[in-house]
């Protein structure tokens, strides 16, 4: 268990939402945001460039009395570009950018080709994940309890509905077993380091989302206490999500910062089309909440950011930057060494991509 001082150094885990097309990835993220708004917790959710941060206080309010015990992580940062592409192209040093994943499966359709593909990726990167068995509201006879915990809703259903849920959940258990994972419905899992938890949810009614968030927090704590220690004062390290030309600004990169600190004026090394780009940060931009969409006002400028965060970076020479490549802050005397590191990381990423 982390001590009180260690706890301060735990950064927000990065969560990727994966699954077959139309199984509900986007709806799930929208529902988490939407429910928090209804619960008057909107102010607590922070919109980043390319990500949404759900702080622990919001998760606690969504989970109600489901959640107990000490939680040492500050919240969860969901990557807003769900899907495999994001996962396979976005890397951190030595692995996938995401610390955790939610694999969304439509419970009425079961595993589909992209579900299997996602599991193979998660296995390759040894990423802890939870299965969200979505669309339980579409099981015939299901009576919803809006935004409630799954177990509460489940206990109110007639036996034939319970049986339908059980049967479909065990179909998922069977498929996961074929792919080398032992799993069970989350409330029957004792050790999430050995078994994958399956949480039945509905992104439409919100049922099961409290349970899902609770399992994610539990997973994050069990698996990641070691990895999440961040060097709060160290140089920033990130991954480029997208390269975009913004009207009135020029070329920018949307970046997920997963370690350290980044400041305006910092020298950064970024993966480029032919060779790494070395440039100086002109501005760090965050989405401006609730403003009119006027180009100059769409973003707020911030002097400095700490991981984990999503940020739009403005700097000269970004037109050749490559999405999915690393970004590293370099001190004057370390630029050459960092260029070599970035070249090495790009090379490794190429090899892994070729293998997938
Ligand atoms: P994605 O492609 O995985 O991001 O899937 P979407 O979130 O776009 O969802 C695909 C379709 O399924 C949309 O029409 C959603 O409204 C619908 N959908 C998603 N989740 C649920 C759910 O829990 N229940 C029901 N009934 N429909 C859902």
């Amino acid at each position: 268990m982390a001590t009180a001082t260690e706890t301060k150094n735990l950064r927000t885990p990065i969560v990727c939402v994966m699954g077959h097309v139309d199984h509900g990835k986007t709806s799930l993220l929208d529902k988490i945001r939407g429910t928090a708004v209804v619960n008057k917790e909107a102010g607590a959710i922070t919109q980043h460039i390319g990500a949404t941060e759900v702080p622990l206080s919001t998760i606690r309010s969504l989970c109600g009395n489901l959640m107990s015990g000490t939680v040492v992580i500050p919240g969860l940062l969901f990557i807003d570009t769900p899907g495999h592409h994001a996962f396979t192209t976005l890397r951190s040093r030595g692995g996938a950018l995401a610390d955790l994943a939610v694999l969304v499966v439509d419970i009425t359709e079961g595993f589909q080709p992209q579900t299997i593909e996602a599991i193979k990726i998660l296995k390759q990167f040894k990423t802890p994940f939870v299965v969200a068995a979505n669309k339980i509201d579409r099981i015939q006879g299901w009576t919803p309890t809006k935004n409630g915990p799954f177990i509460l809703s489940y206990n109110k259903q007639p036996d034939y509905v319970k049986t339908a849920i059980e049967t479909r959940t065990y179909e998922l258990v069977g498929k996961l077993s074929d792919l080398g994972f032992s799993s069970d419905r989350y409330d029957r899992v004792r050790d999430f380091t050995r078994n994958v938890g399956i949480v039945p949810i509905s992104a439409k009614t919100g049922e099961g989302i409290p349970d899902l968030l609770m399992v994610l927090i539990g997973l994050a704590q069990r698996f990641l206490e070691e990895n999440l220690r961040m060097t709060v004062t160290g140089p920033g390290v990130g991954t480029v999500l997208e390269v975009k030309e913004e009207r009135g600004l020029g070329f920018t990169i949307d970046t997920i910062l997963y370690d350290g600190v980044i400041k305006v004026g910092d020298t950064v090394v970024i993966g480029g089309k032919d060779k790494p780009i070395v440039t100086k940060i002109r501005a760090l931009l965050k989405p401006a909440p609730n403003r009119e969409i006027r180009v100059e006002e769409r973003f707020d400028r911030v002097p400095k950011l700490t991981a984990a965060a999503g940020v739009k970076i403005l700097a000269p020479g970004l037109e050749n930057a490559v999405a999915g490549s690393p970004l590293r802050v370099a001190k004057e005397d370390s630029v050459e060494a960092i260029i070599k590191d970035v070249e090495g990381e790009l090379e490794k990423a190429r090899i892994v991509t070729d293998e997938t």
Side-chain angles (χ1 to χ4, degrees), residues 253 261-270 278-285 302-303 311-316 318 327-329:
I253 46 171
V261 179
I262 196 163
K263 298 189 291 291
V264 172
D266 274 351
T267 299
V268 285
V269 180
I270 306 151
V278 182
T279 183
K280 245 190 176 71
I281 296 181
R282 246 188 221 154
L284 296 170
L285 306 162
V302 290
V311 62
K312 184 182 278 297
I313 295 174
L314 181 61
L318 292 181
L327 171 142
R328 303 268 308 271
V329 170

Side-chain angles (χ1 to χ4, degrees), residues 20-27 134-135 137-138 202-204:
H20 195 73
V21 64
D22 282 348
H23 279 199
K25 299 178 290 295
T26 311
S27 305
N134 191 30
K135 308 199 187 182
D137 63 286
R138 292 188 60 203
S202 165
K204 188 176 177 190

Side-chain angles (χ1 to χ4, degrees), residues 246-247 286-288 292-300:
E246 297 281 355
R247 211 147 41 91
K286 301 213 68 176
E292 294 273 314
I293 307 290
R294 291 229 345 250
V295 177
E296 339 50 287
E297 292 183 354
R298 256 187 309 162
F299 307 107
D300 280 337

